[in-house]
Structure formats: structure tokens, C-alpha cells
């Protein structure tokens, strides 16, 4: 059995391998490289992970477009904003409106205004729809009390909604679509979320109130602006170099990659939890228990110009558009269309859309690119694994980073890197943990 005695960070100037060039790996490498020799490995052909900016030519213009990481806000992303300020990355106000379109447009509404809430005027006289709006107000106003209850009971969202008597229309036409769109998860998985995690996130991001909402922003020039500024400051970045395995001993770490086997003094694993577990050739039971508890939802993202993958009523079109179809059960991956023209300042008049898991294919000639992204699922097992993770950090010369250690977003990935920087005594002055 390998020793689990904590390992102090190696002396400054030592060699550190960082595996994975998403926000967590990029930030870890950037912070550690000030005092260590860092090698950053990335299996993909680009750095950035979910920060994947591509050039699109449309309407006679070519412009960078984000397809994964799109927005951040001025309230709950303090570390990301501080990092952007340090790097000189500029941002632009963005839009976070949300719509729901169900059953091929038979029910459509958006929360932007009364005109969009009642985009279908018959809903003014629908007891089911009015009941949904009442449940929304009741759920939003009772969020603090529900959180206190959930802390006592460890209830899932499904259990909390059942105990609170929230109607089916509220769940199917509002809460589950909104949450599934935020976490890129199937609606059935949302019901398994711990209610404490769900409610804390929504309260922190002011998603359950009508006023004093944070200002959302997007990076000018696309998210790759911060990626290229970080990688330009690193001496050894191995793009397109897959790591096949790592093995640790008392004196160091062997990293086996497509480039051969190299010896390092410490290791930061900044990949998805299942990938991290696969790379650890000598994972111990505690590491295996934590990493195997975090599941992921694979999602296909299609960049296209097909407006049939938006709500049928143009007045409902929003930045985020949930599309539900008949015959698609709650276990099916979420289908949500991001209207990128509303999220980023683009020079295109043609609607440009990123659709996750389209339930119908984009029309011929409208698909521009296709991507595959995996997103963590935050059930009770995953949250319990997060609580056990700190006991593993630094043991056997290994640290773990990733957005999966928090809520799954950019700020969470960056915070995981900042915790590692604190362990190595290289925290930036702006870090907020």
C-alpha cells in the first residue's frame, strides 16, 4: 500500500508536470511557473478545454466565436476577473435571457418581459400556466428557507420539490429546463442534484430574483484571448501530446506520454475526474474512491445557422433557449440552443447558434462545426467526493484540479488552481478563496 503521508511541495525550481490545459491546468501552470519549471501537457490539438474559440466567416465577415465557455459575471467570478485584469483581457456586456420551447413550439415562453412571458396570449387564461408562475414566485421567495431545510435533510432536488408540493408544470416548464441548460445535464439528473448545491448556486448567482442581478460579460475577441496570453508566458507547452499514464514513487513522478517517459518532482492532474483516474497507474483506494464518484455527461455541440433549432416564435428568442420534444424522456441529454449573436458582439446579421445535443439535425448546409464536451454531474456521490478531496491534495507528490471540484464552471476551475498555488506558497495577491 503506497504511503499516504502528505508530501510537502518540492523546492522552488523543481520540475512540475501539469496535465490538462483547460482553465484549471492553464491557471495552475501560470501560477506555478513563476517559481517552478512547469511542463503543460494537453492531448487535444489546442489549449483551452471548454474555452474553444473558432473563426467563423458569415455575411462577408470573419470573426472569433466561442463555442464552450461563453460568459462570466461581475459578482460570482472575482478570481476570473482578477486574472483577466492581470492578463489585460477585455470584456463586453452580455445577455443571459432564457426561454423554454416545448413540444415543437406548442408551449413557448421567456422571462425577458411580460410580452415574452405571455408570448402565447392564450396562456393569460391558462390555469396551468398561471399556476406555474405562482410556483416560480413561491420557489424563488422561499429559496432561503428551502436551503435551510435541505441542509438538515440532505434532500435531493426531486425530494425537495415533492415535499414542497411544486406542480408538474413548474418543474417541466421552468425549473428543470433552466437547471438542465445551466449544467448541460439531462433533467432526470437535475432531480438527483443535492438541493443544497442547487440552491446555493442559484442564490449566489441571483438566478431566483428579478432585480439586482449581476452583469454578465463575454471576452472581447473570444475566450482564446486569455488562453494565448497564459500560454505565451509558459516555457514548455506540449499541445497534442497525450499522457498515457503516470506512476509515482518516493522520489518523483514518471509521466508516460506520446513524447516518451519523463521524470518530474510533482504532478498536477487537471483533467476530468474519470480521465484522471485512468491516468493514475498506481491509484490508491482513497484516490479511486474520490475520482470514480464523479460522473460526466457527454454532450455534442453543433455550431450552425438553422433557426428551426430556436423557438418558433421570434419574440421568444433568448440568449439561452431550452428545446423540449415529445417522446424525449428525462434521461435524454439536454437540448439547448445558445443564440451567440445575443451573447457576443458579432458582426453577423444571420443568427448564429450553438446547440447542445440537437434533437433534430441542423438543416443541410447550415452546420459549420461540431464539438464534443463533457460536463460533470453533481449528484450526492460527487458532492461527497468533493468533501474528501482536500485530504488527498499533496499526497504522493500529486495535486488534483478541475471545475468538477466546485459547481463545474470557470470560476470553480480557477479556484481549484488557486488552492494548489496556496499549497505551493505562490498565491497571487488577488486570490479570493
Amino acid at each position: 500500500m503506497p504511503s499516504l503521508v502528505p508530501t510537502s511541495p518540492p523546492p522552488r525550481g523543481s520540475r512540475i508536470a501539469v496535465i490538462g490545459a483547460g482553465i484549471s491546468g492553464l491557471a495552475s501552470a501560470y501560477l506555478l511557473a513563476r517559481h517552478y519549471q512547469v511542463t503543460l501537457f494537453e492531448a487535444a490539438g489546442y489549449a483551452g478545454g471548454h474555452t474553444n474559440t473558432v473563426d467563423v466567416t458569415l455575411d462577408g465577415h470573419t470573426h472569433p466565436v466561442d463555442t464552450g465557455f461563453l460568459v462570466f459575471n461581475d459578482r460570482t467570478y472575482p478570481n476570473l476577473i482578477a486574472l483577466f485584469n492581470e492578463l489585460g483581457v477585455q470584456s463586453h456586456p452580455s445577455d443571459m435571457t432564457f426561454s423554454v420551447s416545448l413540444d415543437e413550439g406548442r408551449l413557448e415562453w421567456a422571462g425577458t418581459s411580460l410580452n415574452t412571458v405571455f408570448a402565447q396570449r392564450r396562456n393569460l387564461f391558462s390555469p396551468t400556466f398561471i399556476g406555474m408562475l405562482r410556483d416560480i414566485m413561491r420557489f424563488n421567495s422561499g429559496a432561503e428557507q428551502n436551503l435551510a431545510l435541505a441542509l438538515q435533510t440532505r434532500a435531493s432536488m426531486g425530494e425537495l420539490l415533492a415535499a414542497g408540493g411544486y406542480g408538474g408544470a413548474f418543474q417541466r416548464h421552468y425549473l428543470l429546463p433552466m437547471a438542465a441548460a445551466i449544467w448541460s445535464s439531462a433533467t432526470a439528473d437535475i432531480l438527483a442534484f443535492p438541493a443544497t448545491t442547487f440552491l446555493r448556486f442559484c442564490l449566489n448567482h441571483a438566478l431566483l430574483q428579478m432585480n439586482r442581478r449581476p452583469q454578465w460579460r463575454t471576452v472581447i475577441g473570444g475566450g482564446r484571448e486569455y488562453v494565448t496570453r497564459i500560454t505565451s508566458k509558459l516555457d514548455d507547452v506540449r499541445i497534442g501530446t497525450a499522457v498515457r499514464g503516470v506512476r509515482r514513487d518516493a522520489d518523483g513522478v514518471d509521466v508516460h506520454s506520446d513524447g516518451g517517459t519523463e521524470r518530474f518532482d510533482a504532478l498536477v492532474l487537471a483533467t476530468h475526474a474519470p480521465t484522471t483516474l485512468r491516468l493514475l497507474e498506481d491509484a490508491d483506494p482513497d484516490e479511486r474512491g474520490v475520482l470514480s464518484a464523479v460522473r460526466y455527461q457527454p454532450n455534442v455541440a453543433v455550431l450552425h445557422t438553422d433557426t428551426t433549432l430556436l423557438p418558433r416564435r421570434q419574440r421568444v428568442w433568448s440568449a439561452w433557449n431550452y428545446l423540449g420534444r415529445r417522446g424525449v424522456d428525462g434521461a435524454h441529454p439536454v437540448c439547448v440552443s445558445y443564440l451567440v449573436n445575443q451573447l457576443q458582439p458579432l458582426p453577423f446579421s444571420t443568427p448564429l447558434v450553438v446547440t447542445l445535443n440537437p434533437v433534430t439535425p441542423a438543416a443541410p448546409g447550415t452546420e459549420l462545426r461540431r464539438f464534443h464536451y463533457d460536463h460533470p454531474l453533481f449528484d450526492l456521490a460527487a458532492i461527497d467526493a468533493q468533501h474528501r478531496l482536500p485530504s488527498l491534495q499533496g499526497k504522493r507528490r500529486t495535486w488534483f484540479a478541475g471545475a468538477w471540484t466546485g459547481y463545474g464552471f470557470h470560476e470553480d476551475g480557477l479556484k481549484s488552481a488557486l488552492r494548489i498555488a496556496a499549497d505551493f506558497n505562490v498565491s497571487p495577491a488577488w486570490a479570493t478563496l
Side-chain angles (χ1 to χ4, degrees), residues 183 185 193 294-297 374-378 403-404 407-408:
W183 277 284
S185 302
F193 268 38
V294 184
R295 299 181 299 124
Y296 279 71
Q297 169 67 57
D374 293 337
H375 296 87
L377 299 174
F378 294 103
W404 62 270
Y407 292 111

Side-chain angles (χ1 to χ4, degrees), residues 246 248 267-296 376-377 379 381-393 395-396 398-405:
V246 298
R248 301 154 296 175
L267 171 68
V268 175
L269 287 160
T271 49
H272 295 333
T275 303
T276 294
L277 180 56
R278 177 176 54 79
L279 293 177
L280 287 174
E281 297 177 357
D282 55 358
D284 64 37
D286 291 326
E287 291 169 334
R288 193 172 294 110
V290 167
L291 297 169
S292 65
V294 184
R295 299 181 299 124
Y296 279 71
L377 299 174
D379 55 15
I383 301 303
D384 286 344
Q386 291 178 351
H387 293 155
R388 299 197 304 274
L389 178 63
S391 67
L392 302 181
Q393 298 288 34
K395 293 180 178 178
R396 304 173 67 194
T398 305
W399 280 260
F400 302 90
W404 62 270
T405 65

Side-chain angles (χ1 to χ4, degrees), residues 79-149:
N79 292 297
L80 191 66
I81 290 173
L83 175 64
F84 285 176
N85 288 340
E86 182 169 294
L87 295 171
V89 172
Q90 302 297 310
S91 66
H92 187 277
S94 186
D95 177 13
M96 283 291 284
T97 52
F98 178 68
S99 79
V100 174
S101 176
L102 301 174
D103 298 338
E104 289 75 43
R106 289 179 177 84
L107 174 67
E108 291 189 334
W109 73 286
T112 312
S113 66
L114 282 176
N115 188 41
T116 61
V117 169
F118 295 103
Q120 294 171 283
R121 298 302 190 242
R122 67 173 182 268
N123 287 331
L124 284 162
F125 310 101
S126 166
T128 300
F129 193 83
I130 299 301
M132 177 195 75
L133 297 179
R134 289 197 184 105
D135 269 349
I136 290 174
M137 291 185 287
R138 181 164 68 93
F139 182 82
N140 292 357
S141 63
E144 295 281 3
Q145 295 89 334
N146 281 334
L147 176 58
L149 177 64

Side-chain angles (χ1 to χ4, degrees), residues 131-189:
M132 177 195 75
L133 297 179
R134 289 197 184 105
D135 269 349
I136 290 174
M137 291 185 287
R138 181 164 68 93
F139 182 82
N140 292 357
S141 63
E144 295 281 3
Q145 295 89 334
N146 281 334
L147 176 58
L149 177 64
L151 285 168
Q152 295 176 357
T153 63
R154 298 193 81 202
S156 68
M157 277 306 299
E159 292 166 340
L160 180 77
L161 294 172
Y166 292 100
F170 165 79
Q171 297 185 41
R172 295 189 304 272
H173 303 163
Y174 168 67
L175 192 70
L176 296 181
M178 177 186 71
I182 290 171
W183 277 284
S184 303
S185 302
T187 54
D189 289 318

Side-chain angles (χ1 to χ4, degrees), residues 61-404:
H61 301 278
T62 298
H63 200 272
V65 172
D66 285 324
T67 64
F69 165 65
L70 281 160
V71 291
F72 62 98
N73 72 60
D74 59 3
R75 185 181 306 171
T76 58
Y77 289 70
N79 292 297
L80 191 66
I81 290 173
L83 175 64
F84 285 176
N85 288 340
E86 182 169 294
L87 295 171
V89 172
Q90 302 297 310
S91 66
H92 187 277
S94 186
D95 177 13
M96 283 291 284
T97 52
F98 178 68
S99 79
V100 174
S101 176
L102 301 174
D103 298 338
E104 289 75 43
R106 289 179 177 84
L107 174 67
E108 291 189 334
W109 73 286
T112 312
S113 66
L114 282 176
N115 188 41
T116 61
V117 169
F118 295 103
Q120 294 171 283
R121 298 302 190 242
R122 67 173 182 268
N123 287 331
L124 284 162
F125 310 101
S126 166
T128 300
F129 193 83
I130 299 301
M132 177 195 75
L133 297 179
R134 289 197 184 105
D135 269 349
I136 290 174
M137 291 185 287
R138 181 164 68 93
F139 182 82
N140 292 357
S141 63
E144 295 281 3
Q145 295 89 334
N146 281 334
L147 176 58
L149 177 64
L151 285 168
Q152 295 176 357
T153 63
R154 298 193 81 202
S156 68
M157 277 306 299
E159 292 166 340
L160 180 77
L161 294 172
Y166 292 100
F170 165 79
Q171 297 185 41
R172 295 189 304 272
H173 303 163
Y174 168 67
L175 192 70
L176 296 181
M178 177 186 71
I182 290 171
W183 277 284
S184 303
S185 302
T187 54
D189 289 318
I190 298 299
L191 291 171
F193 268 38
T196 52
T197 300
F198 181 95
L199 291 168
R200 278 175 175 158
F201 178 85
C202 290
L203 287 166
N204 289 343
H205 287 73
L207 297 177
L208 304 180
Q209 62 190 55
M210 293 304 296
N211 52 15
R212 301 193 311 277
R213 289 186 171 180
Q215 174 63 61
W216 290 86
R217 307 189 69 83
T218 188
V219 175
I220 295 175
R224 69 183 177 198
E225 286 294 315
Y226 87 80
V227 174
T228 56
R229 292 178 196 217
I230 287 179
T231 55
S232 69
K233 298 178 184 297
L234 302 176
D235 293 330
D236 191 1
V237 180
R238 314 273 184 90
I239 302 300
T241 304
V243 171
R244 303 302 177 181
V246 298
R247 183 168 290 276
R248 301 154 296 175
D249 58 42
D251 300 317
V253 180
D254 288 327
V255 174
H256 311 295
S257 75
D258 289 345
T261 297
E262 293 178 79
R263 188 76 167 168
F264 293 90
D265 299 298
L267 171 68
V268 175
L269 287 160
T271 49
H272 295 333
T275 303
T276 294
L277 180 56
R278 177 176 54 79
L279 293 177
L280 287 174
E281 297 177 357
D282 55 358
D284 64 37
D286 291 326
E287 291 169 334
R288 193 172 294 110
V290 167
L291 297 169
S292 65
V294 184
R295 299 181 299 124
Y296 279 71
Q297 169 67 57
N299 293 298
V300 176
V302 178
L303 178 66
H304 64 90
T305 58
D306 183 3
T307 57
T308 66
L309 286 168
L310 290 169
R312 288 194 174 183
R313 294 160 182 83
Q314 190 166 344
R315 78 174 75 171
V316 176
W317 288 6
S318 301
W320 296 40
N321 304 271
Y322 175 91
L323 305 179
R325 294 290 187 267
R326 282 187 175 180
V328 176
D329 62 27
H332 192 277
V334 64
C335 177
V336 57
S337 285
Y338 307 96
L339 184 51
V340 189
N341 309 65
Q342 291 194 22
L343 289 162
Q344 295 186 280
L346 301 180
F348 313 134
S349 57
T350 298
L352 184 63
V353 184
V354 173
T355 299
L356 281 189
N357 310 310
V359 290
T360 57
T366 65
E367 182 175 322
L368 303 176
R369 296 282 296 273
R370 181 174 288 250
F371 312 91
H372 294 271
Y373 300 119
D374 293 337
H375 296 87
L377 299 174
F378 294 103
D379 55 15
L380 186 58
I383 301 303
D384 286 344
Q386 291 178 351
H387 293 155
R388 299 197 304 274
L389 178 63
S391 67
L392 302 181
Q393 298 288 34
K395 293 180 178 178
R396 304 173 67 194
R397 301 175 176 268
T398 305
W399 280 260
F400 302 90
W404 62 270

